[in-house]
Amino acid sequence: MIYHCIRFTLKPGVSDEEKAAGLAQMGEHVNAIPAIKARVVGPDFGGGFDYGAVTVLEDIEGYEQYMNHPAHLADVPDVAELVAGLGEYTGSAAPGSCRFII
């Protein structure tokens, strides 16, 4: 299993409607991208970020399918317009197989 996790902070001035639409758009990936086994999007707790998302994928092929899927690629520019800061972690249960980007 691969766990792709992002944490993000919204830009000042993002409206409640923009926030709700962006989070809903991210949440719909589970329905649009077959490689996703599970997806959670919501408030982030215990850190310097507002929200987070965890995507569970079966294997590296699923990760590649997810990252290159048209639904994911279409959402990146829209969501990026709302984000001020981003942290990312991708890893698996295998020892030594993770990376951090902050």
Side-chain angles (χ1 to χ4, degrees):
M1 296 304 256
I2 294 176
Y3 306 94
H4 176 67
C5 311
I6 63 169
R7 300 169 74 197
F8 55 96
T9 301
L10 299 175
K11 291 179 180 175
V14 171
S15 71
D16 289 342
E17 292 81 16
E18 289 173 313
K19 176 175 61 176
L23 294 172
Q25 189 174 356
M26 292 176 68
E28 281 301 310
H29 282 175
V30 73
N31 298 319
I33 305 173
I36 295 176
K37 300 300 177 193
R39 173 99 167 171
V40 178
V41 179
D44 188 73
F45 298 101
F49 296 94
D50 299 327
Y51 295 92
V54 178
T55 304
V56 180
L57 305 139
E58 186 71 35
D59 50 29
I60 195 68
E61 290 81 13
Y63 179 77
E64 181 179 11
Q65 291 169 16
Y66 162 66
M67 294 301 285
N68 294 303
H69 193 281
H72 179 252
L73 296 175
D75 287 354
V76 170
D78 295 341
V79 174
E81 287 295 316
L82 308 176
V83 172
L86 176 72
E88 177 187 350
Y89 161 83
T90 300
S92 76
S97 61
C98 66
R99 65 186 173 101
F100 294 93
I101 301 171
I102 295 184

